[in-house]
Amino acid sequence: MLNASQREAVRYLNGPCLVLAGAGSGKTRVIAHKIAFLIREADFAPAAIAAITFTNKAAREMAERVAGLLGRNPSGLVVATFHALGLQILRTEHERAGLKAGFSVLDDGDRERLLAEVVRDGERERVRQLRAQISAWKNRGVGVEAAEVEAEGEAMVFAAAVYREYERLRRAYHAVDFDDLLWLPVQLLRRDEEVCQRWQRRWRYLLVDEYQDTNRVQYELLRLLTGVRGMFTAVGDDDQAIYAWRGADSDNLRALMADFPTLRVIKLEENYRSPETILAAANALIAHNEKLFTKVLRAQRPGGERVRVVPCRDPEAEAEWVAATIDARRFASGGRWRDFAVLYRSNHQARVLEQALRSRQIPYVVSGGTSYFERAEIRDAMAYLRLLVNEDDDPAFMRAVATPRRGVGSASLAALSRYAGERRLSMFAALFETGAEVHVAPGPLAALREFAAFINHFRYRAEREPAGRVAHELIAASGLEAFYYETLPQREAERRSRSLRDLIEWIGRRGEREGERLLEVVQVLSVVARLEREEDGRADAVQLATLHAAKGLEFRHVFLVGVEEGLLPHETSVAEGRIEEERRLMYVGVTRAIESLTICYCEQRRGEKGIQQREPSRFIAEMGAEVEVYGRERTPTATERAAYLATMRALLERAPIATI
């Protein structure tokens, strides 16, 4: 059943709609029900609807909910991330966008290699800063010319010059980077009215999840796709806007009201997640922020445990106390490890927590670990696959030709790269010019041309044969597996081989299901590789996560650690006047809790200048009367620990033995 506000949000179709959905108020439920309503009752064809999310996981969950409501998977319905949507537009309109059909999607490593080629003597950190700056420009919709105009100071003028050359190289390689998946469609829709109208007719209704996290270009894409009709529903929560550091623009909420004067604002204020005690603390905390829209969450679960605040001596004592408390509480309740989450402001706080959990043999997972697509073997395979569909992809060429080595050293590759740059060609194309023989020694050149013939052979097959078959035979012929077994320990080589097989099987299934050749599958994979982390919701383990990574999740028992001045709020944010975003970050952490919330802070912490005294975060006092401060934790003595273990053994011995 939907409550009155949810029902209004689902059924409203008279123009643009903004749904302000507080934490735990059922926003995903509203979006899924609205899609079902559009199809069942408003006579919208599924193919005329696009629902936009921020992660592949959210898109999958949304599609599953809609299928459950309709009793089927509606054919043609688009539920995708912003970037996947942009990729779909570019694939369809590649000629109008100035791209060839087989354009590549560069990952962050590829971008840094291209930038290093531009800068030549650039240090890695400097290259990363340049990548971040160019990304920031694109996310604000600032092109090369505009960047050159706005650049002030030597560093920014240099960055703008690098931006120009980077764009020239990117176009020469027939490639797009992750930010281009939004920026290029926006430029295309702005300048080509015919294309813009075609996509407006294609998608008659748009729904956007987590609207408060959109950047300027994402908002512009929404505005262009909906046009003057404004047939969309944007769902978000201004109290959970915590991604300004990566380009999210809170002014997008104001832009909606300015650009769409008939905007209907509907508030979801009934919280179904947290008990009254925790929600009262959350409301008191966030009330200290200035509001664009007033909103107060109402708990649908009365009562609840009071929020506990526990002072700890130092990070080691804090971690030990948290681990011991989780251990005892899980044993007493008979619950699962995955019912517990430990959340923190910065990644560096995880190390001491991991040590404490390991010492007690408590299973845990760390959110934001190595992505499946960041594994060396997957990146090796992707280099071959990307090169197969776009021979002008120089980053892929350099990785594939060097893994495994084919009698070609770095000096030969550097010489080819220089020659290709002089000729304004890709390295692959430069190989076949007579001039290459002047710059690259005969032996390496012959090996490189043999490699190019190998790629050409499989490219011919890729255009005609099933994607899975071509991928399987390409990777088998590449020599990657043999290379791993020759250069790595047996277990690591076996693990990498399994990963390759998993990737090939995925390609085969995708190709069969969608009727796609390898070209299309690899483009999709490139976007998935950038967006998706390896996820395993089945693991029964304590979740360790940053507050940013925890957004959108919920746990029965939440521990917020390191809630101190200088850490949360972070000292940099305080110095830069971004205290309200830090408060929203704390609010996100508080509202993850379903049953209990415990807040810890350290009285001292080791810094660069030795032991430093710490103060509890101002946010604790702002949470009001529902907060109960405990005395400082005390690490149990060896005698107490031995007595505790003896008691546990006695309890286990008296427990009845289950029969099967």
Side-chain angles (χ1 to χ4, degrees):
M1 290 289 292
L2 299 173
N3 64 39
S5 297
Q6 291 173 334
R7 193 159 48 251
E8 180 186 4
V10 165
R11 303 186 71 87
Y12 184 76
L13 292 178
N14 292 333
C17 179
L18 172 63
V19 179
L20 289 172
S25 64
K27 69 178 180 62
T28 306
R29 178 180 174 83
V30 164
I31 297 173
H33 275 78
K34 185 149 196 174
I35 294 171
F37 174 78
L38 288 167
I39 294 170
R40 275 194 309 220
E41 300 184 45
D43 200 28
F44 277 74
I49 303 167
I52 310 172
T53 67
F54 271 80
T55 67
N56 288 300
K57 181 182 179 183
R60 285 196 302 270
E61 291 175 351
M62 186 71 68
E64 289 169 1
R65 286 205 186 198
V66 172
L69 290 171
L70 295 175
R72 58 187 172 86
N73 287 309
S75 178
L77 172 68
V78 173
V79 183
T81 63
F82 267 106
H83 293 87
L85 205 72
L87 174 62
Q88 185 173 344
I89 294 172
L90 290 180
R91 280 168 60 169
T92 304
E93 309 288 354
H94 61 88
E95 290 185 4
R96 299 276 190 128
L99 297 166
K100 73 174 191 177
F103 65 84
S104 298
V105 182
L106 305 177
D107 63 21
D108 287 344
D110 297 329
R111 296 168 76 176
E112 289 179 10
R113 280 189 287 274
L114 278 186
L115 287 167
E117 187 176 333
V118 173
V119 180
R120 296 295 182 186
D121 60 347
E123 298 178 357
R124 188 173 185 184
E125 184 56 35
R126 189 185 192 192
V127 167
R128 286 181 174 175
Q129 290 172 355
L130 287 166
R131 174 175 64 80
Q133 179 57 58
I134 292 171
S135 181
W137 272 323
K138 290 187 177 184
N139 284 329
R140 288 196 293 117
V142 177
V144 171
E145 291 77 12
E148 290 172 338
V149 170
E150 76 170 37
E152 294 183 358
E154 184 179 346
M156 293 301 285
V157 169
F158 176 74
V162 170
Y163 185 12
R164 176 174 290 279
E165 181 61 14
Y166 167 80
E167 285 295 279
R168 185 193 70 77
L169 278 177
R170 179 190 62 73
R171 287 191 295 269
Y173 296 157
H174 295 281
V176 301
D177 62 33
F178 195 63
D179 301 313
D180 289 326
L181 295 176
L182 303 174
W183 179 217
L184 293 182
V186 163
Q187 293 179 78
L188 175 62
L189 295 174
R190 279 177 179 170
R191 70 172 181 261
D192 196 321
E193 184 64 25
E194 181 185 343
V195 171
C196 188
Q197 289 183 5
R198 179 159 59 243
W199 288 94
Q200 288 177 356
R201 288 193 300 269
R202 179 165 182 171
W203 290 319
R204 293 174 52 216
Y205 203 94
L206 271 70
L207 302 100
V208 181
D209 192 13
E210 303 288 8
Y211 177 77
Q212 78 282 346
D213 294 336
T214 54
N215 60 38
R216 190 63 201 178
V217 171
Q218 287 165 331
Y219 171 69
E220 186 66 6
L221 185 61
L222 170 67
R223 192 185 66 79
L224 288 165
L225 288 173
T226 56
V228 294
R229 296 177 298 108
M231 292 296 283
F232 68 83
T233 294
V235 183
D237 182 6
D238 49 338
D239 289 334
Q240 296 186 70
I242 60 173
Y243 289 115
W245 57 274
R246 72 178 190 192
D249 191 344
S250 59
D251 283 343
N252 286 350
L253 286 165
R254 293 182 178 87
L256 271 185
M257 294 188 291
D259 292 340
F260 299 95
T262 60
L263 181 73
R264 177 73 164 269
V265 178
I266 300 171
K267 300 176 185 179
L268 305 185
E269 298 176 291
E270 295 181 40
N271 176 283
Y272 296 92
R273 177 187 297 151
S274 305
E276 192 173 16
T277 48
I278 293 174
L279 207 58
N283 282 333
L285 170 70
I286 204 63
H288 288 79
N289 274 7
E290 290 186 12
K291 301 280 189 173
L292 182 60
F293 301 99
T294 58
K295 180 174 84 284
V296 179
L297 293 183
R298 299 183 295 273
Q300 299 304 297
R301 296 173 55 205
E305 297 181 17
R306 295 183 70 186
V307 177
R308 295 192 299 172
V309 176
V310 180
C312 301
R313 183 179 64 254
D314 53 33
E316 288 72 24
E318 178 184 59
E320 173 59 28
W321 185 85
V322 168
T325 304
I326 290 174
D327 201 1
R329 185 152 194 171
R330 185 255 182 184
F331 182 87
S333 66
R336 302 166 298 181
W337 294 117
R338 64 183 178 188
D339 292 337
F340 298 86
V342 187
L343 309 181
Y344 38 83
R345 175 64 175 81
S346 301
N347 278 310
H348 70 80
Q349 294 172 257
R351 183 185 59 80
V352 66
L353 291 163
E354 290 187 69
Q355 291 173 345
L357 293 169
R358 281 200 302 267
S359 71
R360 290 180 172 272
Q361 297 183 315
I362 296 175
Y364 67 89
V365 292
V366 182
S367 179
T370 302
S371 163
Y372 173 76
F373 287 98
E374 290 172 357
R375 293 178 182 177
E377 66 275 14
I378 300 302
R379 297 191 68 177
D380 290 341
M382 286 297 295
Y384 282 88
L385 293 167
R386 285 166 43 192
L387 190 59
L388 197 64
V389 298
N390 178 14
E391 71 270 17
D392 296 324
D393 189 337
D394 273 13
F397 176 85
M398 294 183 73
R399 186 177 187 111
V401 82
T403 315
R405 289 282 182 186
R406 304 172 189 279
V408 181
S410 57
S412 296
L413 286 173
L416 178 62
S417 178
R418 284 193 298 272
Y419 175 65
E422 292 169 6
R423 297 285 296 141
R424 293 183 175 267
L425 297 168
S426 69
M427 294 172 72
F428 194 99
L431 271 177
F432 297 99
E433 290 211 334
T434 306
E437 297 166 5
V438 177
H439 296 80
V440 184
L445 183 59
L448 286 166
R449 286 176 171 171
E450 181 181 347
F451 173 75
F454 167 82
I455 294 296
N456 281 333
H457 166 74
F458 275 98
R459 180 182 301 112
Y460 177 85
R461 294 183 55 191
E463 294 170 352
R464 293 162 176 79
E465 300 177 28
R469 181 198 302 166
V470 179
H472 169 73
E473 296 187 18
L474 170 69
I475 299 305
S478 70
L480 283 174
E481 288 196 72
F483 171 69
Y484 297 147
Y485 280 101
E486 289 169 6
T487 58
L488 298 171
Q490 179 79 10
R491 291 183 65 179
E492 176 62 12
E494 289 174 352
R495 186 195 66 75
R496 293 195 182 192
S497 293
R498 284 195 301 272
S499 289
L500 290 180
R501 288 193 292 273
D502 289 344
L503 178 66
I504 292 165
E505 288 173 7
W506 187 94
I507 290 171
R509 290 194 300 270
R510 168 82 189 196
E512 289 180 12
R513 185 176 70 246
E514 304 296 334
E516 295 175 336
R517 295 298 186 198
L518 203 51
L519 168 67
E520 291 85 10
V521 177
V522 173
Q523 287 176 330
V524 170
L525 267 174
S526 296
V527 177
V528 172
R530 178 60 172 80
L531 282 170
E532 188 171 72
R533 295 283 181 178
E534 191 174 12
E535 299 154 350
D536 185 4
R538 296 168 298 175
D540 187 19
V542 175
Q543 179 79 52
L544 303 183
T546 64
L547 288 163
H548 286 100
K551 185 169 173 292
L553 305 178
E554 61 182 24
F555 307 92
R556 289 193 176 281
H557 309 289
V558 171
F559 293 79
L560 299 184
V561 299
V563 186
E564 307 149 26
E565 288 294 311
L567 197 51
L568 183 63
H570 196 277
E571 58 187 352
T572 302
S573 297
V574 174
E576 295 176 354
R578 293 187 285 108
I579 191 69
E580 290 202 348
E581 180 155 343
E582 292 290 297
R583 188 176 285 112
R584 290 194 293 268
L585 196 56
M586 178 75 174
Y587 175 80
V588 166
V590 170
T591 54
R592 298 311 94 197
I594 297 173
E595 289 184 12
S596 74
L597 173 65
T598 303
I599 297 171
C600 301
Y601 68 89
C602 297
E603 296 172 339
Q604 60 185 33
R605 204 175 274 272
R606 186 177 299 278
E608 293 180 0
K609 299 179 181 179
I611 301 296
Q612 299 176 343
Q613 298 304 307
R614 311 290 289 190
E615 294 294 327
S617 171
R618 69 192 75 182
F619 298 152
I620 295 174
E622 290 176 358
M623 293 170 70
E626 294 302 334
V627 172
E628 183 176 6
V629 181
Y630 283 53
R632 186 208 276 182
E633 47 59 49
R634 184 172 63 84
T635 303
T637 65
T639 302
E640 289 171 331
R641 286 197 296 269
Y644 173 80
L645 290 173
T647 302
M648 293 300 102
R649 280 195 292 270
L651 286 170
L652 289 171
E653 288 170 0
R654 291 199 299 270
I657 299 173
T659 57
I660 300 176

